[in-house]
Amino acid sequence: MKTRTRQAIGLVLGASALAFASASLAEDFSSGSQAKEFGLTEETKAMFSGKVVDIACELTGDCVDACGNGNRNLGIIRDADNKLVMVLKNAQFAFNGPAYDLVAFCNKEVDVDGLMVGDPEYYNTQFYMVQFIREKGAAQWTKANRWTAGWKARNPDVAEGKGPWYRRDLRVQKQIDADGYFGLGEKVDAEYRNSLQ
Amino acid sequence: MAFGRNKILAVLAVVAGAVMLSAATANAATSAKAVEIRGEVIDTWCYFSGVMGGEDAVVGTAHHTCALWCAAGGIPVGVLTEDGDVYMVLKIEGEDPLAQSDAVMEIQSDVITAKGLHYVRDGVNYLVVEEVVANDGITNTNHLDYGPVPPNSFPKPKN
């Protein structure tokens, strides 16, 4: 085999190895992240760029206007490795999801900063908590805390009142009224309540 | 030379292209598979993040009220099977999962059997629930072990 041919083979193998190595190295997105840490399961800081997508649209072809206007689960297709990152949480501390924070950027390129969480060895993946978001390359970050405002807009009758939103949410209260706090009815709730006294 | 240098280079280029294309598309979506799965409807954030404790504590009756809060709060809902697999729900019987309806609320913590379409992307199982064919209700009475998780999800008794 001639020298140039051997060099070509080496070049091809090297490029292939580099492609796989790049994919592997892309797993660490912590550089430059300002995300707040919480000590969650296998938590790592992650700041990256990507495109906000409606996951149902992306996977099934069932697409609607404006990524569902907050009614659908959204994700981010990460530029670095083309992975679809499912976002489970925003930056608020009251059981709030990310849809209202992401939907404003439906099908747009964004930069996000937050945390990857979950045991990747057991589940073969991790999920994302978005804490900050901005249009890709923009100067200013926006804190991902839009959920409560979205809930108030959808629930004007109970938007203001005593206690956090989840104590006033009508859908939550309807289920608790019907099935109790443990979901098995008032008798089970009463047994537990009595056990505390 | 019967197989000249240019041909070798052409073959190598094709191989390299295939390798790189394989790497680039390794994360692409797969086609849907019709499935019937049985499992508990769970709050996926508390389950995966460990924010409120171990996996055994953030399911069942112990976590029922928190699961309601999270479902109403727009945390994605999942179905946890006996094998420990979690299917992230993209639709429930034609309805978007974060729509402000009661459908997703009524099945929190229930063990359901669902027929639907299963997709896998980048290690995540996704499920379009076409029909809930059975609902066994809440079967895991783990509040007997853990109490309410978190504790403030059950009202303090009045003295």
Side-chain angles (χ1 to χ4, degrees):
Chain A
M1 192 181 294
K2 291 183 178 179
T3 302
R4 288 186 64 181
T5 304
R6 282 199 297 269
Q7 287 174 337
I9 292 172
L11 188 65
V12 167
L13 293 176
S16 301
L18 187 61
F20 283 114
S22 298
S24 177
L25 288 172
E27 293 299 320
D28 181 6
F29 296 95
S30 62
S31 179
S33 172
Q34 299 296 312
K36 185 174 181 179
E37 297 173 290
F38 295 96
L40 303 170
T41 301
E42 301 292 333
E43 166 189 301
T44 55
K45 291 184 175 185
M47 184 170 69
F48 56 88
S49 301
K51 180 183 174 186
V52 173
V53 296
D54 163 7
I55 298 175
C57 173
E58 182 72 16
L59 296 186
T60 74
D62 171 15
C63 305
V64 292
D65 290 342
C67 294
N69 278 313
N71 289 340
R72 289 186 165 198
N73 293 317
L74 306 183
I76 302 168
I77 297 180
R78 197 161 50 194
D79 288 348
D81 54 10
N82 201 40
K83 282 193 173 181
L84 173 55
V85 177
M86 187 171 192
V87 188
L88 300 186
K89 188 74 183 74
N90 76 351
Q92 293 179 283
F93 297 98
F95 317 101
N96 317 103
Y100 297 148
D101 297 286
L102 295 176
V103 77
F105 300 94
C106 171
N107 293 322
K108 290 182 180 176
E109 288 284 330
V110 294
D111 302 320
V112 288
D113 196 1
L115 301 173
M116 297 298 299
V117 302
D119 184 348
E121 290 195 10
Y122 188 82
Y123 291 105
N124 197 31
T125 192
Q126 285 195 297
F127 298 93
Y128 197 59
M129 173 195 207
V130 59
Q131 296 184 10
F132 299 95
I133 188 168
R134 67 184 180 187
E135 200 158 328
K136 188 175 181 178
Q140 295 295 321
W141 290 94
T142 299
K143 193 168 184 181
N145 60 2
R146 297 185 182 185
W147 190 88
T148 305
W151 176 83
K152 286 184 176 181
R154 290 184 174 207
N155 294 273
D157 294 343
V158 290
E160 303 301 331
K162 186 181 176 184
W165 74 269
Y166 51 87
R167 304 279 187 195
R168 291 179 275 128
D169 184 90
L170 298 176
R171 292 193 300 150
V172 170
Q173 200 54 52
K174 182 177 179 181
Q175 298 304 317
I176 292 174
D177 289 347
D179 299 320
Y181 290 91
F182 294 129
L184 296 177
E186 170 54 26
K187 184 181 175 186
V188 173
D189 281 6
E191 288 171 355
Y192 179 76
R193 194 179 300 116
N194 293 336
S195 74
L196 299 175
Q197 296 173 342
Chain B
M1 190 174 181
F3 201 68
R5 190 178 68 209
N6 289 343
K7 286 184 178 177
I8 291 173
L9 289 174
V11 169
L12 288 172
V14 170
V15 170
V19 167
M20 291 180 180
L21 184 63
S22 172
T25 59
N27 298 321
T30 58
S31 56
K33 179 182 175 186
V35 293
E36 180 173 305
I37 64 164
R38 182 176 185 273
E40 179 181 332
V41 179
I42 64 164
D43 148 23
T44 58
W45 171 249
C46 290
Y47 188 80
F48 284 115
S49 72
V51 67
M52 293 193 185
E55 293 170 351
D56 291 345
V58 293
V59 293
T61 50
H63 198 63
H64 177 65
T65 291
C66 188
L68 293 172
W69 292 344
C70 288
I75 302 288
V77 164
V79 179
L80 169 65
T81 69
E82 284 188 1
D83 295 336
D85 294 325
V86 176
Y87 293 75
M88 312 300 285
V89 174
L90 296 179
K91 295 202 93 166
I92 302 176
E93 297 184 327
E95 187 169 278
D96 290 329
L98 308 184
Q100 300 284 297
S101 78
D102 291 330
V104 74
M105 303 294 288
E106 289 170 350
I107 59 173
Q108 289 305 305
S109 317
D110 289 356
V111 173
I112 65 169
T113 302
K115 283 185 176 178
L117 296 174
H118 174 212
Y119 299 80
V120 182
R121 172 88 180 248
D122 299 320
V124 180
N125 293 303
Y126 296 95
L127 183 67
V128 173
V129 176
E130 294 180 322
E131 183 182 6
V132 176
V133 295
N135 185 338
D136 299 334
I138 300 176
T139 62
N140 182 356
T141 55
N142 61 341
H143 74 281
L144 298 172
D145 299 315
Y146 297 102
V149 179
N152 70 350
S153 64
F154 191 90
K156 288 181 181 177
K158 295 173 183 174
N159 293 323

